[in-house]
Amino acid sequence: MLDSHDPRQNHLLAALPEAEAEHVFPHLELVPMPLGHVLYESGVQMRHAYFPTTSIVSLLYVMEDGASAEIAIVGNEGMVGVSLFMGGDTTPSRAVVQSAGHAYRLRGQWVKDEFCRAGPMQHLLLRYTQALLTQMAQTAVCNRHHTLDQQFCRWLLLSLDRLPGNELVMTQELIANMLGVRREGVTEAAGSVQKAGLISYHRGHINVLDRAGLEARACECYAVVKKEFDRLLPYRPAPGRTTDETGAAASLSAVHSAPLPLRKGEKA
Amino acid sequence: MLDSHDPRQNHLLAALPEAEAEHVFPHLELVPMPLGHVLYESGVQMRHAYFPTTSIVSLLYVMEDGASAEIAIVGNEGMVGVSLFMGGDTTPSRAVVQSAGHAYRLRGQWVKDEFCRAGPMQHLLLRYTQALLTQMAQTAVCNRHHTLDQQFCRWLLLSLDRLPGNELVMTQELIANMLGVRREGVTEAAGSVQKAGLISYHRGHINVLDRAGLEARACECYAVVKKEFDRLLPYRPAPGRTTDETGAAASLSAVHSAPLPLRKGEKA
DNA sequence: GTGTGCATGTACGTTGCCGCACATAAGAAA
DNA sequence: TTTCTTATGTGCGGCAACGTACATGCACAC
């Protein structure tokens, strides 16, 4: 496992043009993200925005009776703390580290100031926020219509997309909390998916054996969210470069106001 | 039924400071919103942003198999078409008029330009978008954990809050489509709520008799969303005035007090 | 080794909603 | 009036997930 860290492991940060990156990166602080760590609590002013690199954060809502449900999932493709620049400062949800790793963070005030400069960073963050909107919307739809089995696959894929490698360290109990279902339900779904040969599950370690199979088993929600993220934030990793100074080959072309491709809609 | 219309019937528009309003209002176009009218389709470029005054619009996702689920509901407190200024131009959802009435609309390009001016309008729209995020998140939670009966009450209250008066014109079939459940399920829930004396339901006309009772019967989701909207967009109707021309006493104080520095431009 | 804790698997009755098939009832149209 | 359409009410079998209780099994500490 590499010990080297680079802000560009986060897709949003990697998407900044060189000039902007030089402006932003010095303010980044690398922080460890231990499992279960709460980045912010419902209704509490948040101090930092987090850009995960090797960690995953869940945004979840905890009800009065203690039951919970995941609202969105944030990994190396995004950031935690959009309400900082959206103007609300807080949200009614909680952000919890769901998979340990690292993240870069920025002071809240700095994010606000940077956002107000109305540069590439602003466009980027807004686009990301819209992608987040889509993810939340699809979560609502999925919760309404799809079986636990499908949701389990969707969740697995979403998590996998936000981490390097194809192993997840995750107990069934945790997954159940995220999905807002019983632990036994996850046991059953996981067992069934394992029996189908798509994953191997061993005491908190999930290995994905057949990604295509998972995608086929998941509901359409996964594809919709992924497609929308790709459309809004077309990440293109810099070939052959990681931490050097040569520039911004990794970029979101769209940030520079290129017109977006229109997806054709379903017919009315 | 009044024939007089005023942009300030929409809370967002009413919240604009006078100078801004003078700039924006001339570009508004009053349009009728017939029941079932589709404002935009999934994945299709939207041409206008809509600010409902006496109508309600549902954002809903329609699945491949035709099943649907409401993602959010927009009435006189908000606008339809946030993706215009968020940068995506389209969303994977559909916007349908759920309760007939009127709305003001702005050309899409005009909204973008106005947003980029980084004035009060921008702050307002961002705050509204965050409120929308909360609504979607809570919809997801509600879909996961709460009974149809609770969701029915929540939905009724959300709709009621977004319309003048306390009557809803809405068939059970339509409600079922919004909630993503069977029509019979709505029949049962509505019957039960009516038996409790909270509403009177008569062939598509719902009259709310006991609002407090409804709130008690609804799940916490309604309160959470309402609270968050009030916090982010504290609407204060002008005392003693409604649709006349005398001015802008209705305002969102928060818009004026935004402490954020508004520099623009700087380096590419 | 042996114990202890945590992760996972299994079973069973219950519930909330679904899918389907009708039965009414209230307007609108003839 | 009668007929037709739309809106609502009802009944029943089925199923996915729930709540509960308990059993197994791995891993690490001692």
Side-chain angles (χ1 to χ4, degrees):
Chain A
M1 181 58 50
L2 296 183
D3 262 8
S4 67
H5 298 283
D6 183 341
R8 290 183 214 273
Q9 289 174 307
N10 178 279
H11 299 192
L12 284 185
L13 296 176
L16 292 174
E18 185 58 24
E20 191 75 3
E22 282 174 14
H23 180 247
V24 173
F25 285 8
H27 297 271
L28 290 172
E29 176 189 1
L30 179 67
V31 290
M33 304 274 271
L35 179 64
H37 184 226
V38 174
L39 300 184
Y40 64 77
E41 193 58 70
S42 165
V44 175
Q45 166 94 34
M46 51 190 76
R47 300 180 161 200
H48 299 87
Y50 293 79
F51 297 84
T53 53
T54 56
S55 55
I56 290 190
V57 176
S58 275
L59 310 185
L60 47 85
Y61 179 81
V62 182
M63 302 198 314
E64 290 160 2
D65 66 1
S68 62
E70 189 180 71
I71 286 165
I73 181 174
V74 181
N76 62 6
E77 94 297 352
M79 73 165 277
V80 178
V82 297
S83 68
L84 277 170
F85 57 81
M86 293 300 282
D89 278 336
T90 72
T91 73
S93 59
R94 175 188 294 177
V96 187
V97 176
Q98 176 208 105
S99 180
H102 284 81
Y104 287 88
R105 72 179 188 188
L106 279 174
R107 292 195 59 78
Q109 189 56 52
W110 203 90
V111 173
K112 293 185 193 180
D113 293 345
E114 176 63 22
F115 183 84
C116 288
R117 288 175 60 230
M121 188 82 163
Q122 188 191 64
H123 287 276
L124 201 58
L125 292 181
L126 287 178
R127 268 163 195 272
Y128 172 67
T129 304
Q130 194 189 333
L132 203 61
L133 272 166
T134 298
Q135 196 189 152
M136 290 187 183
Q138 212 63 30
T139 302
V141 172
C142 205
N143 282 348
R144 161 62 57 210
H145 286 293
H146 297 134
T147 67
L148 176 46
D149 204 86
Q150 292 176 300
Q151 294 186 41
F152 174 72
C153 293
R154 169 187 65 102
W155 188 88
L156 225 53
L157 288 166
L158 281 179
S159 297
L160 210 60
D161 286 347
R162 283 155 180 78
L163 280 180
N166 65 338
E167 192 198 54
L168 284 176
V169 180
M170 186 70 48
T171 80
Q172 299 183 348
E173 180 90 43
L174 253 180
I175 299 179
N177 278 334
M178 299 299 151
L179 293 180
V181 299
R182 288 184 317 156
R183 196 267 311 160
E184 292 90 332
V186 174
T187 299
E188 197 164 337
S192 146
V193 173
Q194 184 168 30
K195 196 157 290 174
L198 308 182
I199 63 172
S200 87
Y201 208 135
H202 183 64
R203 288 188 79 73
H205 292 252
I206 310 178
N207 264 286
V208 175
L209 305 176
D210 180 358
R211 197 180 203 290
L214 267 187
E215 293 182 12
R217 196 171 176 126
C219 47
E220 60 194 89
C221 298
Y222 167 69
V224 169
V225 171
K226 174 144 176 62
K227 209 167 170 184
E228 190 70 355
F229 266 83
D230 287 346
R231 179 178 79 90
L232 292 167
L233 306 162
Y235 176 64
R236 290 180 292 176
R241 262 191 331 102
T242 52
T243 64
D244 65 44
E245 74 300 334
T246 53
S251 73
L252 289 170
S253 61
V255 168
H256 306 283
S257 79
L260 284 176
L262 283 186
R263 176 120 28 86
K264 75 154 158 262
E266 25 184 317
K267 45 182 18 182
Chain B
M1 169 90 26
L2 295 182
D3 263 8
S4 67
H5 298 282
D6 183 342
R8 291 183 215 271
Q9 290 173 307
N10 178 279
H11 298 192
L12 284 184
L13 296 176
L16 291 174
E18 186 58 25
E20 190 76 4
E22 282 174 14
H23 180 246
V24 173
F25 285 8
H27 297 271
L28 290 172
E29 177 189 1
L30 180 67
V31 289
M33 304 274 272
L35 179 64
H37 184 224
V38 175
L39 299 185
Y40 63 77
E41 193 57 69
S42 165
V44 175
Q45 167 92 37
M46 50 190 76
R47 299 182 162 199
H48 298 87
Y50 293 79
F51 297 84
T53 52
T54 56
S55 55
I56 289 189
V57 176
S58 275
L59 310 186
L60 47 84
Y61 179 83
V62 183
M63 302 197 314
E64 290 159 2
D65 67 1
S68 63
E70 191 180 68
I71 287 165
I73 181 174
V74 181
N76 62 6
E77 95 295 351
M79 72 164 276
V80 177
V82 297
S83 68
L84 277 170
F85 57 81
M86 293 299 283
D89 278 335
T90 72
T91 73
S93 60
R94 175 187 294 179
V96 187
V97 176
Q98 176 209 105
S99 180
H102 285 80
Y104 288 88
R105 72 180 188 188
L106 279 175
R107 292 195 59 77
Q109 189 55 51
W110 203 90
V111 173
K112 293 185 195 180
D113 294 344
E114 176 62 22
F115 184 84
C116 287
R117 288 177 59 229
M121 188 81 163
Q122 189 191 63
H123 288 273
L124 202 57
L125 293 180
L126 286 180
R127 268 166 194 271
Y128 172 67
T129 304
Q130 193 188 333
L132 203 60
L133 272 166
T134 298
Q135 200 192 346
M136 290 187 183
Q138 213 62 31
T139 301
V141 172
C142 205
N143 282 349
R144 162 61 59 209
H145 288 293
H146 298 134
T147 66
L148 176 46
D149 204 86
Q150 293 175 300
Q151 293 186 44
F152 174 73
C153 293
R154 169 188 66 102
W155 187 89
L156 226 53
L157 289 165
L158 281 179
S159 298
L160 211 59
D161 286 347
R162 282 155 182 78
L163 280 179
N166 66 338
E167 192 195 56
L168 283 176
V169 181
M170 186 71 48
T171 79
Q172 299 182 349
E173 179 91 43
L174 253 180
I175 299 178
N177 277 334
M178 298 300 152
L179 294 180
V181 299
R182 287 186 319 155
R183 195 266 314 159
E184 293 90 328
V186 175
T187 299
E188 197 167 316
S192 147
V193 173
Q194 183 168 29
K195 196 156 290 175
L198 308 183
I199 63 171
S200 89
Y201 208 136
H202 182 64
R203 286 187 80 73
H205 292 252
I206 310 178
N207 264 287
V208 174
L209 305 176
D210 180 359
R211 197 179 204 289
L214 266 188
E215 292 182 11
R217 196 172 176 124
C219 47
E220 60 193 89
C221 298
Y222 167 69
V224 169
V225 171
K226 175 147 176 60
K227 206 170 170 182
E228 190 69 356
F229 266 84
D230 288 346
R231 180 178 79 88
L232 292 168
L233 307 163
Y235 177 64
R236 290 179 294 176
R241 278 186 316 101
T242 52
T243 63
D244 62 44
E245 73 300 331
T246 52
S251 74
L252 285 172
S253 61
V255 169
H256 307 286
S257 62
L260 305 177
L262 297 178
R263 290 166 282 149
K264 222 193 150 190
E266 197 165 351
K267 65 182 154 189

